[in-house]
Amino acid sequence: MPSIEACLFDLDGVIVDTAKYHYIAWRQLANDLGFDLTHAQNELLKGISRMESLEIILALGGVKLTDEEKLQRATEKNSRYLALCMQMTPADTLPGVRAFLDELKKGGIKTGLGSASKNAKVILERIDMLSYFETIVDGNRITIGKPDPQVFLMGAADLAALPAQCVVFEDALAGIQSAKAAGMLAVGIGEKAVLTQADIVIPGFADFHFQDMEAAFA
Ligand code: BG6
Ligand code: MG
């Protein structure tokens, strides 16, 4: 097993719990169109881009919109989502994340962000985490979303790291698939039963340290 050179992090659900805000904003959009969006349906949207998420929601509600209407609704959803995100402070960073990133820095490991979100930089600024990442690959840079490996391959290239020496941290099934398709090691954040293709699964960073990662992939 080659030594670990870089760690690539998803944003939503890994660094910060923005999934609850996505859900509120998508649910409002569904309600405006005359149907509801359940929590379980919202799970299908994790890691999926804004416009693809909208297509899934419209299909769930059996609603057809023109391209112009879709753009309008997506813009409206994003404004609501961002207004909710603006309530966040650095204290909203998920437990243990900052400490784990500090440990990586001390250990000489490169760090990058790999997110489908077009709001990644705004959110990182909001929680004062922008400086923790040497590269940011977000929804504005990628041309094809997770589960395609592009987002993490771009991150590895930015950091001049070999994919086989990269570890990806992801809470979404599509994100784990993206990491594995890139030939990287994948740490699932969440439940084993959901993130079946991850190499290891942890509940979060609260009790996870640099040495635990090294031991897991030794
Ligand atoms: C992902 C989220 O990180 O980003 C998805 O898991 C979201 O739920 C996607 O749809 C795109 O986010 P944004 O901020 O560009 O609408
Ligand atoms: Mg995520």
Side-chain angles (χ1 to χ4, degrees):
M1 174 71 60
S3 60
I4 296 163
E5 206 182 332
C7 287
L8 299 168
F9 293 81
D10 173 46
L11 174 68
D12 297 313
V14 171
I15 304 293
V16 70
D17 181 19
T18 42
K20 59 186 177 206
Y21 300 136
H22 277 298
Y23 180 45
I24 293 171
W26 281 133
R27 193 174 186 197
Q28 184 65 57
L29 175 144
N31 290 171
D32 291 347
L33 292 170
F35 61 97
D36 202 11
L37 184 73
T38 67
H39 211 268
Q41 288 169 333
N42 187 60
E43 285 296 301
L44 301 172
L45 311 175
K46 279 190 179 172
I48 306 299
S49 76
R50 193 182 309 163
M51 293 313 286
E52 280 178 278
S53 298
L54 177 64
E55 294 291 352
I56 294 171
I57 292 166
L58 294 177
L60 287 168
V63 173
K64 287 209 178 349
L65 297 179
T66 64
D67 286 351
E68 199 184 325
E69 286 168 335
K70 282 178 192 171
L71 211 57
Q72 238 171 35
R73 294 283 176 174
T75 304
E76 199 178 46
K77 179 267 171 182
N78 194 52
S79 303
R80 279 186 183 137
Y81 170 69
L82 278 179
L84 293 166
C85 285
M86 287 308 126
Q87 301 169 4
M88 293 194 302
T89 71
D92 286 290
T93 310
L94 285 169
V97 167
R98 245 171 247 274
F100 184 69
L101 277 150
D102 284 336
E103 288 177 8
L104 293 181
K105 288 261 168 259
K106 277 197 198 116
I109 307 286
K110 299 168 187 171
T111 52
L113 193 93
S115 169
S117 174
K118 293 188 170 178
N119 297 305
K121 281 187 184 162
V122 179
I123 289 168
L124 285 175
E125 259 168 28
R126 191 76 213 155
I127 58 169
D128 201 18
M129 290 285 296
L130 198 54
S131 63
Y132 280 76
F133 301 98
E134 290 157 60
T135 185
I136 291 176
V137 184
D138 63 11
N140 300 298
R141 284 185 66 192
I142 57 173
T143 53
I144 178 160
K146 301 167 186 178
D148 189 274
Q150 188 193 46
V151 61
F152 293 125
L153 288 175
M154 279 173 92
D158 285 356
L159 298 173
L162 290 173
Q165 295 180 319
C166 293
V167 180
V168 169
F169 294 86
E170 254 293 349
D171 70 316
L173 185 58
I176 296 288
Q177 289 168 338
S178 166
K180 295 316 293 175
M184 299 178 181
L185 296 163
V187 178
I189 309 293
E191 291 171 32
K192 263 195 186 124
V194 179
L195 304 172
T196 49
Q197 294 166 44
D199 294 294
I200 60 165
V201 179
I202 58 172
F205 291 96
D207 292 312
F208 190 71
H209 298 280
F210 184 45
Q211 298 92 305
D212 299 323
M213 181 180 73
E214 286 202 311
F217 297 125

